[in-house]
Amino acid sequence: MVSRDLDGASPRDVYRLLSSVVIPRPIAWILTRNREGGLNLAPFSSFMGIFGPPLLAVSFGRRKDGSLKDTHRNLRETGEAVVHLGEASFLDALHASGEDLPPEASEVELLGLSVVPSDRVAPPRLKGASVALECRLRSEEEVGPRTSLVLLHVLRMHAADEIWRPEWDSCDPGRWEPVARLGSLQGPNYALLGRRLRLESPFPPLRGKGGSKERGSGQD
């Protein structure tokens, strides 16, 4: 087994090593507006949901010159965004939108994507996207000299009819193809969900073996 210390490692080494093992990662495809109303669209896979208050956590790195990426700057200036979940039907556009373009360039326009108005925030949402989450900036914390952790408050969710299960009052993961990000060496590399496993709950192998010990709900 190979072992490496990450405490004190360079940002480049940290990214290379952690991104190769913290997989698969969902992709936040974030649409923001700048002060002039121009649209920016970019993917971020350092991303997760927080399921107490409805929050999304996104990590933003800086450019090589130390400046903010366009999405991060727009969030600071306007405080609003729409987060789409990367999916197979948009994969080519999602991948292309990761290119570092001048601030005045709009990936939405360059990629020929269509948008529809949002309900509670100024940035629109992508037409045809299976999932769109209207968000407002809640807080931001500098976690390193070149990295910020941003919390977004989810105000409203949109889900396509095709993936919605009325009897569950939620989405069915078997009805759409979200895309995950894998390690970046010889990549970027992406993955679909592929094989799915459904296990019985609550935990039959442990039933009756733990006395009165409490167990969690399995909903971590």
Side-chain angles (χ1 to χ4, degrees):
M1 176 172 283
V2 175
S3 301
R4 296 283 181 86
D5 285 333
L6 293 187
D7 185 28
S10 71
R12 183 182 182 88
D13 287 344
V14 168
Y15 179 81
R16 186 185 76 255
L17 294 168
L18 279 186
S19 68
S20 70
V21 295
V22 183
I23 58 173
R25 301 187 303 279
I27 301 172
W29 204 16
I30 305 179
L31 198 157
T32 55
R33 289 180 65 177
N34 60 28
R35 286 176 175 170
E36 292 72 37
L39 301 182
N40 180 269
L41 181 66
F44 297 88
S45 65
S46 218
F47 159 66
M48 64 175 287
I50 299 175
F51 310 126
L55 299 175
L56 303 177
V58 187
S59 173
F60 291 99
R62 303 288 182 96
R63 291 193 173 98
K64 291 181 179 179
D65 63 2
S67 63
L68 298 179
K69 294 182 177 179
D70 296 337
T71 301
H72 192 183
R73 187 191 63 253
N74 291 347
L75 273 171
R76 282 189 175 183
E77 292 181 351
T78 67
E80 294 181 334
V82 177
V83 177
H84 309 83
L85 273 293
E87 57 185 304
S89 59
F90 282 96
L91 181 56
D92 288 342
L94 182 146
H95 181 68
S97 69
E99 184 178 350
D100 193 6
L101 299 176
E104 64 274 9
S106 170
E107 293 82 0
V108 174
E109 296 178 6
L110 292 172
L111 293 169
L113 300 173
S114 299
V115 296
V116 294
S118 295
D119 296 335
R120 299 187 59 181
V121 298
R125 52 194 173 93
L126 293 175
K127 185 177 182 180
S130 295
V131 173
L133 305 171
E134 299 184 20
C135 301
R136 184 169 294 137
L137 177 63
R138 170 168 170 157
S139 64
E140 176 180 345
E141 181 178 353
E142 297 290 331
V143 294
R146 301 176 63 88
T147 307
S148 298
L149 180 64
V150 170
L151 293 183
L152 301 175
H153 179 203
V154 181
L155 304 175
R156 189 166 179 81
M157 182 185 84
H158 303 274
D161 292 337
E162 293 78 8
I163 72 170
W164 188 257
R165 290 285 291 267
E167 67 273 25
W168 296 354
D169 195 33
S170 65
C171 296
D172 184 341
R175 291 186 173 183
W176 65 307
E177 290 190 296
V179 173
R181 184 70 182 270
L182 302 178
S184 296
L185 291 181
Q186 299 181 338
N189 298 300
Y190 301 93
L192 301 179
L193 289 183
R195 185 183 179 195
R196 296 173 173 86
L197 302 175
R198 181 177 179 180
L199 302 184
E200 183 182 349
S201 179
F203 317 111
L206 299 179
R207 193 174 296 154
K209 296 182 180 181
S212 61
K213 181 181 177 181
E214 291 186 6
R215 291 194 291 270
S217 66
Q219 303 296 319
D220 294 345

